[in-house]
Amino acid sequence: MYFVFGIFFFLLFLSTKAHTPGIVTVDTFTFNKIRKHFNVVLAKFDDKYPFGEKQDQFKKFALNVANTKDLLVVEIPITEYGDKENEKLAKEYGVKKADYPAYKLFLKGKSKPIDYTGDKTEDDLKRFLLQHTNLWFGLPGTIEELDRLAQKFFSASSNNDTTMQKSLLEKARKQVKQLVDKKEQKSGESYVKIMESVVKQGTEFLKREGRRVQNLLKGKITNEKKEELQHRANILLSFKSLKESITDTVDVVKDNVGKQRKETITGDKDL
């Protein structure tokens, strides 16, 4: 008897926590109806009553992007009992319980969603959206005004428009001089240095620098250095177009597939 009451109150407690502020809960019938009205939809497939660190990170993420134009974040709760709520949607998109929480990015005009395979943290989810969309919301170390200039600068650089390059670089320098906060000043200097390097070396510098920073992040470094490098990695994302980001993602997948084939054929692994 006490056990039954215990279960009842536990479920009652979870039900009060079920809704996540900043998101819309959808089901098999409403998902496609709502999705077609937004350019970017990030869908989270999960248990009906999720909890724990991953859910806490998702709540922070949802609140911070709630006002982002053209973005809709939805939750698709799945149950394996009773009416088996949204089980059809889970099967349609190849989501298994072991994947929870599973994130998929739906872009208007694209027939298939993009699977999210990163860490289930607030910053990594933001980074994922930045890599695949033209949305803006601040990652650690980034500055909105300079991000806007960086996007224009990338476009000018891709078109070999040196006049526009120089003009935007000068605007960035002036913007940095107006910054008061020391951390923002340091970030601002990174934007300028990256622009200067692109002027000298072309847009290929962005790929090389991105790989260099990621390799350094994998090494043994202090927390302070790790934060500095992560900020630089975030800033570098501002200099990439949607097409460029997707190309990089495909290259990474190809590299991983090639490595797996090598291991299968030779039995060797990179040490």
Side-chain angles (χ1 to χ4, degrees):
M1 185 70 173
Y2 290 110
F3 176 76
V4 173
F5 275 114
I7 293 294
F8 171 76
F9 284 114
F10 178 67
L11 291 175
L12 183 63
F13 169 76
L14 286 178
S15 67
T16 63
K17 302 287 184 180
H19 177 68
T20 304
I23 64 94
V24 175
T25 301
V26 297
D27 56 33
T28 304
F29 303 102
T30 59
F31 179 52
N32 286 325
K33 290 180 181 179
I34 292 176
R35 180 165 66 90
K36 66 182 181 181
H37 294 291
F38 289 84
N39 292 330
V40 182
V41 176
L42 182 68
K44 171 177 173 279
F45 295 76
D46 205 349
D47 283 314
K48 188 168 185 176
Y49 302 112
F51 59 92
E53 178 60 24
K54 291 179 181 178
Q55 178 64 9
D56 291 341
Q57 287 290 318
F58 174 66
K59 286 181 178 179
K60 291 179 183 178
F61 163 78
L63 280 173
N64 285 333
V65 302
N67 294 320
T68 303
K69 186 179 179 181
D70 294 328
L71 170 67
L72 178 69
V73 181
V74 302
E75 269 186 322
I76 302 174
I78 304 167
T79 59
E80 297 180 327
Y81 50 84
D83 293 333
K84 295 188 176 181
E85 190 176 350
N86 297 321
E87 184 182 57
K88 183 179 178 181
L89 268 179
K91 286 183 178 179
E92 181 180 349
Y93 292 107
V95 176
K96 299 178 181 178
K97 187 175 179 63
D99 302 326
Y100 297 167
Y103 294 93
K104 291 182 182 289
L105 180 63
F106 295 82
L107 302 176
K108 182 173 281 189
K110 301 291 182 180
S111 58
K112 294 183 179 180
I114 301 171
D115 293 338
Y116 176 70
T117 57
D119 292 334
K120 311 296 172 66
T121 66
E122 175 190 359
D123 285 343
D124 283 309
L125 285 169
K126 284 182 179 179
R127 197 170 293 113
F128 172 67
L129 288 180
L130 280 178
Q131 287 175 335
H132 296 286
T133 73
N134 289 321
L135 299 173
W136 189 92
F137 33 78
L139 285 173
T142 61
I143 300 169
E144 183 172 3
E145 294 81 0
L146 289 172
D147 266 8
R148 302 298 183 193
L149 288 176
Q151 291 166 6
K152 293 178 181 178
F153 180 86
F154 177 85
S155 178
S157 301
S158 299
N159 294 322
N160 295 316
D161 188 341
T162 55
T163 302
M164 182 59 72
Q165 266 188 328
K166 292 177 181 178
S167 174
L168 292 168
L169 175 55
E170 189 56 35
K171 285 183 180 179
R173 286 171 176 156
K174 290 180 180 178
Q175 189 73 45
V176 172
K177 286 181 180 179
Q178 295 175 5
L179 297 174
V180 177
D181 183 82
K182 288 186 177 180
K183 286 188 176 181
E184 286 193 344
Q185 287 175 349
K186 192 170 184 178
S187 291
E189 289 168 2
S190 288
Y191 282 93
V192 170
K193 288 178 181 177
I194 290 170
M195 287 181 177
E196 290 172 342
S197 295
V198 171
V199 169
K200 294 177 182 178
Q201 303 176 42
T203 55
E204 283 299 312
F205 166 79
L206 297 171
K207 286 186 178 181
R208 291 196 302 271
E209 181 65 3
R211 293 190 184 106
R212 184 186 75 85
V213 171
Q214 291 302 323
N215 286 333
L216 288 173
L217 282 168
K218 293 175 184 176
K220 293 182 178 180
I221 53 178
T222 64
N223 289 334
E224 184 179 356
K225 187 64 177 178
K226 184 177 182 180
E227 181 182 38
E228 179 186 329
L229 288 170
Q230 190 59 71
H231 285 185
R232 189 168 179 83
N234 292 341
I235 290 170
L236 282 166
L237 286 175
S238 305
F239 290 85
K240 291 189 176 184
S241 66
L242 177 60
K243 180 179 178 181
E244 185 82 8
S245 299
I246 292 175
T247 300
D248 284 351
T249 303
V250 171
D251 288 342
V252 170
V253 172
K254 286 181 179 178
D255 289 344
N256 289 338
V257 170
K259 183 178 178 182
Q260 290 171 0
R261 284 178 178 171
K262 178 183 175 183
E263 292 173 0
T264 302
I265 295 171
T266 65
D268 295 330
K269 292 186 178 181
D270 294 335
L271 299 177

